[in-house]
Amino acid sequence: MARIEDVAVRAGVSVGTVSNVLNRPQAVSPATRAKVQAAIAELGYVPHAAARALVAGRTSTIGLVVPEVTNPFFADLARGAEDVADEHDVTVMLYNSDKSADRELRYLGQLETQRVQGILVTPVRQVTGGMDALVARGTPVVLLDHPAGRRNICSVTVDDHTGGALAATHLIERGHRHIAFVGGPLTVVQVGARLAGAREVVEAAGGTLEVIETRGLGVAAARTAATDFARRPAATRPTAMFCANDILALGALQTATREGLRVPDDLAIVGYDDIDFAAAAAVPLTSVRQPRHQLGRVAAQLLFEEIHEPAQHGHRQVVFQPELIARESSRVPAHAG
Amino acid sequence: MARIEDVAVRAGVSVGTVSNVLNRPQAVSPATRAKVQAAIAELGYVPHAAARALVAGRTSTIGLVVPEVTNPFFADLARGAEDVADEHDVTVMLYNSDKSADRELRYLGQLETQRVQGILVTPVRQVTGGMDALVARGTPVVLLDHPAGRRNICSVTVDDHTGGALAATHLIERGHRHIAFVGGPLTVVQVGARLAGAREVVEAAGGTLEVIETRGLGVAAARTAATDFARRPAATRPTAMFCANDILALGALQTATREGLRVPDDLAIVGYDDIDFAAAAAVPLTSVRQPRHQLGRVAAQLLFEEIHEPAQHGHRQVVFQPELIARESSRVPAHAG
DNA sequence: AACGTTCGCTATAACGATTCAATAACCGAG
DNA sequence: CTCGGTTATTGAATCGTTATAGCGAACGTT
């Protein structure tokens, strides 16, 4: 493969001049510039990023580690972060930890080894020792959709507690008093917070909140939960269901419908995330919307702030507020209106 | 940040020894090994990937460029590729071209600059000049889910023509003669091939295939198409619908149901991809399943073959066969059985 | 005509690791 | 003891860039 020196020889100039053509073209006379560019084209020269990074001392990339690429929530987050990175002429390396703490740690290590400028990460569980060490060694890190317990790190989150409260308030206002929360594992911080927010509101209103913990947040989990639910005698069954995410909600909606329950007449459903599918469902789904793109943008901005002005950078915990999008799945049934 | 020399000084050994501890631990005595490891821990030393890559002449990564990370099809592809990469101690850099040829080209350039060992790519449209040049310069490339026109490159695809034929045959066997194909743009190779396969079968059986071209493959496209469809007089309406993917099919299913059509009684639906949601839908969806994980695996295997034995490597075009998964959405209606 | 000033280009020292030939240390055998 | 043969460690060359100091040549000013 052609090196910069091959280009220099071919163009009859020094390597320094070739480097200048590449990095500060205006510092080179048009004539030599043309010669060099011709040589580059003829040889198919492609600069060697590692050599560049070595002398520069850093790469022009940041890392983004998410637990689930398939999830539109994280895809939008990534999009937001990429937009900001583009403005800074930095590229984003995307890694999918797939909810495995092992993979997460491995990827973080890899990113550090590569001397990325900084890292955006949605930790699988909590902030581990490995991550702390990384921060201590000087790599700027911003937590995405995960609160920073410590104050030595920035974080950008959406207020899940309020989100849960929003959903519950909405259902209470619609006249429901017996509500089910579906989601899990409850140890997942987001799930836990949504539940807590909902519980507060329901209890304050004198209602009861029944927790149906699932193993995960996928369609399969929804199906088993909803099947069991639908087969209970109507009298003991909550009249509304708040699901920890839309996938769960859609799964529940479909399964409940198949089991003969009418939504929202027999069962009102509220989801979380407002994914595209939510609005397009057989019964359009009421959902709690998070400013996901904005979340990614702000996280990246905080990261770049820390990268460029480490001195006067104060670590901040940014909290966004979610918004309830009311649709048909929680409409007040005609007979109750 | 600590360099290898700092470690060497601290441990009282030479840099060569530190390097040995890192790369061939068995070649250094247990005593010094311990000293060095202690120094590494104390200083928080992290090797510099760029420096390594520079002397090694190559990185231990491969690139994967897909048009849509959100799509479970590509997520599974990626998983398959990653599994194989892991076996080779190579990490996968994932890039989302987001169906933009510009981004695709930019990412490919970046990967070449980084001297990755090879690249797996699902081209947005066709194989462009930029990609040819890259191959000519010597970076091994394998096309994923896209046929290689030229024979100077490997490709791994699923036979979309057969997939379309399978779907059509299934519907014909169920007694349908008037069938709609929904999907688009038709210039997308996969969409075109599925249509062609279906058309062949339908015409051979003496039926008619009506093409409803959509702007894209998302929920929104499905909704408009299905709404128009459902409002046509029943007599002029096809009795079955073959959608170019499951998202479209699910969108159509939901919209049609809302417009009062019963599935499969008034309208049979067959999708493509067999995503998780397909089986869990209100009416479980008949779909054409592709061996996606396997696709990613084999693509990566071909890539590594080319990387390790460039000499005796013959470029191959591997074609997988899809499989029809029959479910309720295309069941024969009771009155016709 | 001599003198600074630009301007365009060159030569070379980093950057941080790995590799490998050379050397030192050690050990048992003669 | 000394010698051959391992084994452990060292030191320097190397990878492909960028940055920088320096060096002529050309030019405008006095």
Side-chain angles (χ1 to χ4, degrees), chain B residues 229-269:
Chain B
F229 180 90
R231 296 188 177 164
R232 286 163 54 176
T236 72
R237 227 166 33 203
T239 58
M241 191 182 257
F242 169 37
C243 297
N245 78 16
D246 280 352
I247 304 285
L248 239 38
L250 290 171
L253 169 61
Q254 293 170 342
T255 308
T257 304
R258 213 173 335 149
E259 294 284 334
L261 263 53
R262 288 162 309 154
V263 174
D265 305 71
D266 301 324
L267 174 68
I269 300 184

Side-chain angles (χ1 to χ4, degrees), chain A residues 46 49 82 103 113 115 254 280, chain B residues 46 49 82 103 115 254 280:
Chain A
V46 175
E82 255 173 38
R103 287 172 90 92
T113 265
R115 299 291 193 273
Q254 294 170 342
Chain B
V46 175
E82 254 172 39
R103 285 171 92 91
R115 299 291 192 275
Q254 293 170 342

Side-chain angles (χ1 to χ4, degrees), chain A residues 1 44 46-50 54 70 75 79 82 91 93 95 98 103 110 112-113 115 137 219 254 258 280-282, chain B residues 1 44 46-47 49-50 54 70 75 79 82 91-93 95 98 103 110 112-113 115 137 219 254 258 280-282:
Chain A
M1 234 180 169
V46 175
H48 195 299
L54 183 54
T70 313
R79 208 74 55 87
E82 255 173 38
T91 63
M93 293 183 50
Y95 285 102
D98 211 19
R103 287 172 90 92
Q110 214 153 94
E112 188 179 17
T113 265
R115 299 291 193 273
R137 266 178 244 121
V219 191
Q254 294 170 342
R258 214 173 335 147
Chain B
M1 233 180 169
V46 175
L54 185 54
T70 314
R79 208 73 56 88
E82 254 172 39
T91 64
V92 178
M93 292 184 46
Y95 285 102
D98 210 19
R103 285 171 92 91
Q110 215 152 94
E112 189 179 15
T113 265
R115 299 291 192 275
R137 266 179 245 121
V219 190
Q254 293 170 342
R258 213 173 335 149

Side-chain angles (χ1 to χ4, degrees), chain A residues 23-213:
Chain A
N23 304 303
R24 296 120 73 186
Q26 78 293 351
V28 175
S29 77
T32 33
R33 203 190 308 157
K35 271 193 306 185
V36 171
Q37 271 155 352
I40 288 176
E42 286 159 22
L43 294 167
Y45 167 74
V46 175
H48 195 299
R52 280 189 164 168
L54 183 54
V55 17
R58 61 191 187 122
T59 50
S60 57
T61 54
I62 61 172
L64 171 57
V65 183
V66 298
E68 214 183 335
V69 266
T70 313
N71 191 324
F73 176 76
F74 292 109
D76 281 354
L77 231 61
R79 208 74 55 87
E82 255 173 38
D83 289 350
V84 174
D86 274 354
E87 292 163 17
H88 289 259
D89 274 311
V90 157
T91 63
V92 178
M93 293 183 50
L94 178 63
Y95 285 102
N96 179 12
S97 68
D98 211 19
K99 295 180 205 141
S100 139
D102 264 14
R103 287 172 90 92
E104 175 180 297
L105 194 59
R106 216 168 69 209
Y107 288 143
L108 289 176
Q110 214 153 94
L111 288 167
E112 188 179 17
T113 265
Q114 282 173 40
R115 299 291 193 273
V116 293
Q117 296 196 11
I119 299 176
L120 297 173
V121 55
T122 302
V124 171
R125 292 248 165 285
Q126 64 270 1
V127 176
T128 63
M131 212 142 110
D132 264 343
L134 178 119
V135 171
R137 266 178 244 121
T139 302
V141 171
V142 173
L143 299 184
L144 249 175
D145 195 39
H146 191 103
R150 315 260 201 328
R151 295 289 141 175
N152 62 337
I153 223 178
C154 283
S155 73
V156 179
T157 53
V158 181
D159 188 340
D160 284 305
H161 192 275
T162 298
L166 273 175
T169 304
H170 174 80
L171 289 170
I172 293 285
E173 281 174 6
R174 293 285 181 286
H176 298 280
R177 287 294 170 274
H178 193 188
I179 300 176
F181 174 88
V182 177
L186 298 179
T187 48
V188 174
V189 279
Q190 288 85 353
V191 176
R194 289 168 200 175
L195 169 57
R199 174 173 280 148
E200 233 169 59
V201 169
V202 173
E203 289 179 353
T208 58
L209 184 76
E210 177 182 328
V211 177
I212 301 178
E213 183 169 9

Side-chain angles (χ1 to χ4, degrees), chain B residues 83-151:
Chain B
D83 289 350
V84 174
D86 275 355
E87 291 163 17
H88 289 257
D89 273 312
V90 158
T91 64
V92 178
M93 292 184 46
L94 178 63
Y95 285 102
N96 178 13
S97 67
D98 210 19
K99 295 180 207 142
S100 141
D102 264 16
R103 285 171 92 91
E104 176 181 297
L105 192 60
R106 216 168 70 209
Y107 288 143
L108 289 177
Q110 215 152 94
L111 288 167
E112 189 179 15
T113 265
Q114 283 173 40
R115 299 291 192 275
V116 293
Q117 296 196 12
I119 300 176
L120 297 174
V121 55
T122 301
V124 171
R125 293 245 165 284
Q126 64 272 359
V127 175
T128 65
M131 214 142 108
D132 265 342
L134 178 116
V135 172
R137 266 179 245 121
T139 303
V141 171
V142 173
L143 300 184
L144 247 176
D145 195 39
H146 191 103
R150 315 256 201 334
R151 295 288 141 177

